[in-house]
Amino acid sequence: MLDIQLLRNDLEGVASRLKARGFDLDTAMIAALEAERKSLQTRTQELQAKRNSLSKSIGVAKAKGEDVTPIMAEVAGLGDELKANEDALSRLQDKFNALLMGIPNLPHESVPAGKDSDENVEVSRWGEPRKFDFQVKDHVDIGAGLGLDFESAAKLSGSRFAVLKGGIARLHRALAQFMLDVHTREHGYIEVYVPYLVNADSMRGTGQLPKFEEDLFATFKNADEKLYLIPTAEVPVTNLVRDEIVPGESLPLKFVAHTPCFRSEAGSYGRDTRGMIRQHQFDKVEIVQMVKPEDSYRVLEELTGHAEAILQKLGLPYRKMLLCTGDMGFSSAKTYDLEVWLPAQNTYREISSCSNFESFQARRMQARFRSDKNKPELLHTLNGSGLAVGRTLVAILENYQNADGSVSIPEALRPWMDGVDKLS
RNA sequence: GGAGAGGUGGCAGAGUGGUUGAAUGCACCGGAUUCGAAAUCCGGCAUACAGGUUCUCCUGUAUCGGGGGUUCGAAUCCCCCCCUCUCCGCCA
């Protein structure tokens, strides 16, 4: 959520920055709503003040044993207008709030302008894609002989699910454990285990709701209370600080969580239908930080580096992309995507997304910190995939495949695989 | 699932319709005392929003788990919901 003060003070400026990310802000409508709000609110508060003081004087008069009927008569006249004003104000505020919740974050000034992913900017590249002296297979074909089973998954649940058996399931588990261990041991994150079902408040806090309900899976706790399956650990982990005022000295808070993620993938029919790239359910290790505002851009670089470290340890070639204004997520002010090399597709594919949300999520969540005796201040939130486990599995299968159909295990991962150096 | 108790400020904990945004204690901040510290004493100390003033405040409104209701007036009464604790049952 944007700062409403910013909207009031610099509506046109906000509109033009939003335009850069392809969002049209109806400034005339907002200005009109704002003018109406101002007069309604002033009038309502006036009436409330009058009622309060009259009510108070009734109490005083009664205590003295005086006759209160004249005051009662006076206050009775207020009732209808006050109620009408209160109702109108609350309707207007609901409307304004709904509008505000639907406005995306402002892009940081360092974000390049652009329409879509074609205009993202490559920042750096790491590793050399391997030269194969045989015909490379994609992960589906390689995995078929190693326990990657889409037919069973289709029987159980339909399309966009996978069953892993044997060594490949083991590899999947090892990857998650490896990532968790690196982030906790080397990068200073605290491991957290969190619920996979969360309420609507949590989804609103991080920005998935109200706009993107169709991307989520939901279930019902009872007839009128819906719970959502998390599309990323970002949701439960970031919401740990919702409605909290944390001591300034406790920042930065650094959390890492390994969770399954559930996405309906509505609107992506036909895209990445083959294989494990785009699933309804996948595992991800997510790193999250809550920091002071002045630190958040330094931390974005640091956090992205933590995700890169996993790719480097695994020896997977990747490139780091700075997303342009038109390709960023709804809540983000600046995002780096890490794209891993997939030889069978002969291209780089997203495996991590690292974002600084500045105070956008914190404002929705009322997540604040207090330094000394200063007033509470909104903190900044960041997160990144460190990494998407399923896609990392795909990358290893494809990059470490051998001519005989076996797959080598990256050196760094072997301690998590009981020393196994090859799946066959 | 059954029975009972409870949710109040950073924390603990009073408060069952009327100058209560809320006693008291702890914590915290400023000052006094002290060579300095502890102890003691004095004062301050919630959040959001609006209006005024504009870097310092003033005024108003809302907020005592959430929502709705009664009333001139609700932390306090009524209804619904959520959560926590204790006991019993069930259970990975």
Side-chain angles (χ1 to χ4, degrees):
Chain A
M1 193 158 81
L2 297 181
D3 183 356
I4 192 156
Q5 304 294 356
L6 191 62
L7 228 58
R8 286 178 183 144
N9 297 334
D10 185 19
L11 187 55
E12 293 307 322
V14 169
S16 80
R17 289 175 70 187
L18 288 173
K19 188 111 188 150
R21 49 141 73 225
F23 185 88
D24 276 318
L25 191 67
D26 188 344
T27 56
M29 185 207 196
I30 289 182
L33 277 179
E34 170 60 10
E36 195 185 344
R37 186 228 99 224
K38 199 162 175 170
S39 74
L40 258 182
Q41 182 162 357
T42 318
R43 181 64 186 150
T44 303
Q45 293 191 351
E46 245 170 53
L47 291 168
Q48 286 170 328
K50 197 162 172 193
R51 179 207 56 199
N52 288 347
S53 75
L54 285 175
S55 291
K56 204 170 261 183
S57 61
I58 290 174
V60 173
K62 271 198 168 173
K64 291 190 205 153
E66 293 169 1
D67 179 24
V68 297
T69 45
I71 318 179
M72 296 282 272
E74 195 179 350
V75 81
L78 278 148
D80 287 348
E81 192 191 352
L82 179 56
K83 181 107 176 72
N85 271 277
E86 280 176 337
D87 289 350
L89 181 62
S90 104
R91 272 198 306 275
L92 189 119
Q93 279 173 332
D94 287 349
K95 192 170 163 189
F96 204 103
N97 205 41
L99 195 91
L100 209 56
M101 290 291 275
I103 301 175
N105 203 356
L106 297 176
H108 186 251
E109 58 186 12
S110 63
V111 173
K115 200 156 69 17
D116 53 36
S117 58
D118 291 341
E119 295 182 76
N120 294 340
V121 174
E122 183 174 318
V123 177
S124 62
R125 214 173 256 237
W126 185 94
E128 194 64 40
R130 177 181 157 201
K131 303 272 189 290
F132 291 88
D133 52 12
F134 56 91
Q135 183 64 43
V136 294
K137 294 192 270 188
D138 78 356
H139 70 279
V140 179
D141 290 338
I142 305 160
L146 301 173
L148 180 55
D149 176 2
F150 292 102
E151 286 74 31
S152 295
K155 178 178 71 182
L156 302 175
S157 310
S159 65
R160 296 201 190 280
F161 289 93
V163 167
L164 311 180
K165 295 176 194 153
I168 206 164
R170 174 69 191 277
L171 174 58
H172 185 260
R173 171 163 62 91
L175 281 169
Q177 309 260 19
F178 164 73
M179 293 176 196
L180 278 171
D181 286 339
V182 170
H183 292 311
T184 54
R185 290 173 189 167
E186 299 176 25
H187 300 151
Y189 289 84
I190 294 166
E191 183 172 350
V192 285
Y193 170 81
V194 291
Y196 304 154
L197 295 172
V198 300
N199 56 33
D201 280 341
S202 296
M203 287 295 186
R204 273 191 288 269
T206 34
Q208 282 75 20
L209 288 181
K211 262 196 139 170
F212 307 102
E213 175 132 28
E214 73 277 9
D215 296 334
L216 303 170
F217 285 109
T219 184
F220 288 87
K221 187 179 180 189
N222 56 52
D224 46 25
E225 197 177 355
K226 203 189 249 188
L227 288 179
Y228 295 88
L229 280 75
I230 58 170
T232 159
E234 162 191 354
V235 177
V237 176
T238 309
N239 274 280
L240 287 172
V241 292
R242 172 155 54 86
D243 294 322
E244 300 285 339
I245 300 175
V246 303
E249 60 268 25
S250 69
L251 299 179
L253 291 168
K254 301 171 71 175
F255 297 115
V256 59
H258 164 222
T259 71
C261 303
F262 303 92
R263 300 188 181 176
S264 79
E265 296 301 336
S268 63
Y269 307 109
R271 283 177 66 196
D272 301 311
T273 47
R274 181 177 162 86
M276 276 186 81
I277 294 291
R278 192 176 299 275
Q279 301 272 287
H280 286 314
Q281 170 187 321
F282 62 95
D283 276 30
K284 185 156 60 71
V285 170
E286 185 79 358
I287 49 183
V288 176
Q289 292 204 38
M290 295 89 172
V291 307
K292 292 184 180 175
E294 64 267 30
D295 295 332
S296 67
Y297 279 96
R298 176 183 57 72
V299 169
L300 176 62
E301 302 300 321
E302 174 194 303
L303 179 143
T304 307
H306 295 153
E308 289 180 66
I310 302 293
L311 287 163
Q312 292 178 9
K313 284 174 189 287
L314 294 175
L316 294 169
Y318 68 91
R319 61 179 190 176
K320 176 177 169 183
M321 306 294 289
L322 174 57
L323 298 197
C324 71
T325 50
D327 198 34
M328 281 198 304
F330 178 79
S331 304
S332 177
K334 183 173 183 176
T335 298
Y336 291 114
D337 271 7
L338 301 179
E339 298 181 341
V340 70
W341 177 254
L342 293 185
Q345 296 192 8
N346 198 39
T347 187
Y348 290 94
R349 290 299 305 263
E350 179 187 342
I351 195 166
S352 172
S353 190
C354 302
S355 300
N356 182 3
F357 304 95
E358 298 189 4
S359 58
F360 189 85
Q361 294 180 327
R363 189 169 294 106
R364 289 170 162 244
M365 293 190 299
Q366 280 303 299
R368 294 167 293 176
F369 71 97
R370 192 198 299 271
S371 295
D372 301 324
K373 59 172 181 166
N374 294 330
K375 282 172 74 79
E377 193 180 343
L378 293 171
L379 45 76
H380 279 195
T381 58
L382 303 98
N383 68 55
S385 347
L387 308 163
V389 178
R391 289 191 180 179
T392 307
L393 182 77
V394 168
I396 286 177
L397 294 182
E398 294 198 3
N399 283 280
Y400 284 89
Q401 63 180 295
N402 301 311
D404 65 358
S406 66
V407 172
S408 301
I409 301 299
E411 194 82 33
L413 197 59
R414 289 181 197 167
W416 282 265
M417 291 287 289
D418 272 350
V420 170
D421 63 359
K422 190 189 275 191
L423 292 185
S424 54

